[in-house]
Amino acid sequence: MATVREATFELFRAHGMTTIFGNPGSTELPMLRDFPEDFSYVLGLQELVVVGMADGFAQASGRTTHVNLHTAPGVGNAVGGLFNAQANKSPLLVTAGQQVRPQITIEANLTNREATVGPQPYVKWSHEPPRAQDVPLAIARAIHHASMPPRGPAFVSIPMDDWNEQADVDIAQSALARTVSARATPDPAALERLAVTLARARNPVFVAGPDVDASGGWDAAVALVEKQRLPVWATPAPGGGRIGFPEGHANFLGILPPAIGALSQTLDGHDLVLVVGSSVFPYYPYIPGPLLPDGAALVQVTSDPGEAARAPMGDAIVGDVASALARLAELVDRSQRAGPQPRAQPGEPAETDPMSGSAAMAALAEVWPQDGIAVLEAPSSTLALRNRLRLSQPGSYYFSSSGGLGFGIAAAVGVQLAQPERPVVCVLGEGSAQYGVTALWTAATYKVPVTFLVLRNQEYMILKWFAELEHVAGAPGLDLAGLDVAAVASAYGVPSREVGSREELAEELRSAIAVDDGPRLVQVPVASGMWLE
Ligand SMILES: Cc1ncc(C[n+]2csc(CCOP(=O)(O)OP(=O)(O)O)c2C)c(N)n1
């Protein structure tokens, strides 16, 4: 005989889910008792960062990852992170404790009222098992939901008295043995038609989205682009949680602007827009205009039926992105088209005091390790980082596709735990850093060797930029005098320094990246401005 807890931990083992990210409360302790030695528990001090760490870990490991939360208040705190994880298509099993079954109806303290409603609509499936014996099966189902495209969080609420009940061993064993393969091959005939359309197009263009990287389609994308000599754009930065094509490649032209009018203008002259692994498109802000340039057709390849259904124009082929790319690369011949003109390298940034965001990113580029991974949450320097680092290896960039802050520090910790051999650098605005700041404690305590770079401009720069765009004058709450992330980080146990000059910044970053005994934080004052290159 086995308890529900024992059966469930067997299930976690069978799925390789032996790392749990959590913040415990009394309702979770029965699950955590006699914590098995082959599991690790990564403690986050607040639920937004617990989910963010798991999100980074899940994306960088490619594996469904377990988040354990404290009943209603824990789930409430986690919702911003679930919103991010859903946009990032991050496969998360989210469990939360619940009051004991005999006290749910009388709503005793800490009862998670309507537990399955709380995390909606940011989870794919939300459930509280009707019987203790159903817990392993419900968790198995949530793992499968989370793991299938579009990947995302799935939620199970578990009354705390369930864990010590006897499991229904037959059902638990049967759940344990199941695997679900969900790489759905796109319609072969549709791919054949697309290959012909692509070969016949006069001036086609490739737009790469985050699922190229997430699906493992990186090399196939390069092969297709090189065979067809396609110019390549990255999907707009706000929705590009991962990069889908090597940004130092000669065919790579840059990042599409996120507004409707500007995006179609950028693609002017193309007769076929092939969008792979992205929504069409992650637009923001609203600047109306034609959806596509005159005479252009669009075909989207996505593993997400929702993305296909909501696109406002073009055709779509739904199925695994990596398989589609590999098949297309096989089907097309080598094209005689002239390839695109390589784009210019950004120039040396002007010397100013304090330095610009561009100068800070130039310093980072100088010391960037070849296998480095960037985790980014620095709104006014996003494009400067992309344009200067030109990241060109798969799995090298993580950004929250949703725009919800609180992802950066936490995700960087999770990414580094999943990729201990690669140096992780997390670039943060000092405003963004506040939402996930408690994850610095986890980085210090678990000796996770992330290098944090904080750009200190004493304002919410991007909101000032938006205010201008929206013709909003006189909005309060856009200045951040006196925030010193380095001082806060020191208090959390992260060795931290503020530097001044570009040389000092490069030197400090070089040595921070080189250490592997724990995190380091480098803070640098930067000037006010939107840094586009
Ligand atoms: C959870 C959450 N709250 C608020 C916002 C709105 N918001 C977007 S950018 C931003 C300011 C970021 O400031 P900072 O990190 O200092 O970067 P800067 O714009 O100065 O480069 C805010 C508050 C958000 N995106 N997410």
Side-chain angles (χ1 to χ4, degrees), residues 149 165 200 277 347 357 362-363 369 391 429 499 504:
E165 293 290 316
R200 286 191 187 149
L391 298 164
V499 296
E504 231 188 327

Side-chain angles (χ1 to χ4, degrees), residues 379-380 403-405 429-432 435 457 459-463 480:
S380 61
L405 300 177
E430 97 250 70
S432 302
Y435 299 78
N457 58 7
E459 62 188 347
Y460 285 155
M461 175 59 219
I462 191 140
L463 299 187
L480 295 180

Side-chain angles (χ1 to χ4, degrees), residues 54-103:
D55 184 342
F57 187 86
Q59 290 195 68
S61 66
R63 294 207 310 270
T64 300
T65 299
H66 184 186
V67 179
N68 183 239
L69 303 172
H70 181 50
T71 180
V75 175
N77 284 346
V79 166
L82 296 176
F83 175 69
N84 294 346
Q86 184 187 54
N88 296 336
K89 297 185 177 163
S90 208
L92 300 183
L93 162 71
V94 184
T95 57
Q98 165 69 299
Q99 187 39 275
V100 293
R101 288 185 186 266
Q103 295 202 110

Side-chain angles (χ1 to χ4, degrees), residues 117-185:
V117 176
Q120 296 284 12
Y122 307 116
V123 294
K124 293 177 69 179
W125 186 62
S126 189
H127 188 70
E128 188 171 87
R131 301 179 309 160
Q133 288 69 26
D134 297 320
V135 167
L137 198 59
I139 287 182
R141 180 171 169 186
I143 293 169
H144 296 307
H145 277 301
S147 311
M148 282 190 270
R151 296 170 132 203
F155 177 76
V156 185
S157 161
I158 306 157
M160 59 193 284
D161 49 338
D162 285 4
W163 295 106
N164 288 333
E165 293 290 316
Q166 289 304 309
D168 180 330
V169 176
D170 284 348
I171 290 184
Q173 288 290 341
S174 150
L176 202 79
R178 295 189 69 235
T179 62
V180 176
S181 158
R183 273 193 183 260
T185 311

